[in-house]
Amino acid sequence: MLKMMSSLSLLSRQKLIINNNISKLFSTNHAFDLYNKSREGGEVVSVLKLNELRDNPGAIKKKRRIGRGIGCSKGKTCGRGHKGQKARGKVHPWFEGGQTNFIKRIPKRGMKNRNATPMLGINLGKIQDYIDMGRLDPTYYSEVRPLNMKDMVDVGIVGKSNSIQHGVKILADGANRLRTPIRIEASRASESAIHAMESIGGEITTVHYNRLALRALLKPHKFSILPKRAKPPPRLLPYYQSYKNRGYLSPQVQMKQLLRNKPELVAKENENAVAENDSDTNNTENEETTTEKEEK
């Protein structure tokens, strides 16, 4: 029996050796090695392929699997010990053993409004300084189109586009130096700034920009298709519908823009006004003649 067992083990070993030799012969790497060795004076070149890319041995250490019996050395309690809060769940870092924690002990003061939209203030005096330096063309921004927030960033009135978080508000500081009439388009404007600009023949229009529209205005190169500008939310709608604030949704401002874009309407309106004046004068003359006849 022992001789039989030893002979079988020898046969199985011989079969394994033969199989390994055959697999080496038919493997691509071994074939390349044989080909390179056959060349005269050539060096053995091993070809690296994508399917053979792997980490160095020992570079990755397998994670210990816990809770798989005593053979893994972390079975049963998994290294947490017996009972207690740490064995059953997690303890938060700010837990102080049950006493009032530090965050609740310190006094609180003031509040932070999550719905606040702080505006970046730009004074009229600064705009006039940039006009005097020649960095703003007053004829272009009075006849062609209004000065917007993108132009302020490009010229340097605003340092960086990232400093404009929710918009720009036009303020009246330095209004006594203002002497060049231009058109300005901003998110907000003070009443004194509007009065100062309109007193010299300029114009200020307040326009609503949400975060997406503001980003599209300041950084248009980041959009393949520019999104449409959203309407103001209900809480801001009264501000932009008021002519007192020169809101772009007020009927008076929209009528001004319509007449500016279509000058033929102005001519028609003037003709109608002249025709109405002529008809009024004719009516008054007829009334005077009728009264004179009645008196006679």
Side-chain angles (χ1 to χ4, degrees):
M1 283 293 290
L2 291 171
K3 288 182 180 180
M4 289 286 290
M5 291 290 288
S6 60
S7 62
L8 286 172
S9 61
L10 286 170
L11 285 171
S12 59
R13 286 178 185 176
Q14 288 175 358
K15 284 181 180 180
L16 287 171
I17 292 165
I18 292 165
N19 290 331
N20 290 332
N21 292 331
I22 290 167
S23 62
K24 283 183 180 180
L25 285 170
F26 285 99
S27 64
T28 54
N29 288 339
H30 191 68
F32 275 109
D33 292 341
L34 291 173
Y35 174 74
N36 292 322
K37 284 178 183 178
S38 63
R39 295 171 63 187
E40 293 181 358
E43 295 181 358
V44 177
V45 179
S46 60
V47 179
L48 181 65
K49 295 182 290 185
L50 290 175
N51 61 341
E52 293 176 354
L53 291 174
R54 58 180 58 86
D55 294 313
N56 295 326
I60 297 174
K61 186 178 179 181
K62 288 186 178 180
K63 186 180 178 182
R64 187 187 293 274
R65 299 175 71 214
I66 61 174
R68 298 298 188 274
I70 58 174
C72 69
S73 77
K74 293 289 181 183
K76 194 187 170 188
T77 54
C78 303
R80 290 182 173 223
H82 290 280
K83 302 181 184 177
Q85 187 178 8
K86 293 182 180 179
R88 296 187 178 98
K90 292 183 179 179
V91 182
H92 295 291
W94 56 87
F95 182 67
E96 299 181 17
Q99 69 179 15
T100 305
N101 55 17
F102 179 73
I103 295 171
K104 289 186 178 180
R105 288 200 303 269
I106 59 175
K108 310 298 188 294
R109 189 180 297 235
M111 62 167 289
K112 185 176 181 181
N113 187 5
R114 295 180 180 179
N115 298 320
T117 54
M119 299 285 171
L120 183 68
I122 300 295
N123 294 308
L124 290 175
K126 191 173 184 180
I127 294 173
Q128 183 61 50
D129 292 339
Y130 274 77
I131 292 171
D132 296 339
M133 287 189 289
R135 299 176 72 173
L136 282 175
D137 186 7
T139 56
Y140 179 77
Y141 292 116
S142 61
E143 297 177 2
V144 180
R145 66 176 183 85
L147 176 73
N148 58 22
M149 290 179 277
K150 178 71 167 61
D151 301 323
M152 295 179 189
V153 174
D154 294 340
V155 169
I157 297 174
V158 180
K160 292 181 179 179
S161 59
N162 295 332
S163 59
I164 303 175
Q165 295 294 326
H166 299 278
V168 168
K169 184 173 183 178
I170 305 299
L171 304 175
D173 191 12
N176 54 351
R177 296 186 282 110
L178 188 66
R179 59 185 180 276
T180 308
I182 60 169
R183 290 191 290 145
I184 301 175
E185 191 177 88
S187 301
R188 305 279 175 85
S190 63
E191 292 184 17
S192 54
I194 292 169
H195 177 71
M197 181 57 76
E198 290 182 350
S199 63
I200 61 169
E203 184 181 323
I204 293 178
T205 307
T206 57
V207 181
H208 172 70
Y209 287 94
N210 60 351
R211 298 298 293 271
L212 180 63
L214 190 63
R215 188 166 178 265
L217 175 69
L218 298 175
K219 300 177 181 179
H221 59 278
K222 293 194 174 183
F223 294 84
S224 56
I225 300 174
L226 290 175
K228 288 185 178 180
R229 194 167 60 195
K231 290 183 179 179
R235 65 185 179 87
L236 295 177
L237 196 60
Y239 182 89
Y240 293 104
Q241 286 179 339
S242 172
Y243 183 68
K244 180 183 177 182
N245 303 318
R246 301 303 186 265
Y248 73 112
L249 295 177
S250 62
Q252 295 91 334
V253 172
Q254 289 183 348
M255 192 65 187
K256 282 182 182 179
Q257 291 177 353
L258 182 65
L259 294 175
R260 188 183 294 111
N261 296 330
K262 295 184 178 181
E264 62 272 10
L265 295 176
V266 180
K268 285 183 180 179
E269 194 172 325
N270 293 332
E271 290 175 0
N272 293 332
V274 171
E276 286 178 1
N277 291 330
D278 293 340
S279 63
D280 291 338
T281 53
N282 292 330
N283 290 331
T284 52
E285 289 176 358
N286 293 330
E287 287 176 359
E288 288 176 357
T289 53
T290 52
T291 51
E292 288 176 358
K293 288 180 181 180
E294 288 176 356
E295 288 175 357
K296 289 178 180 180

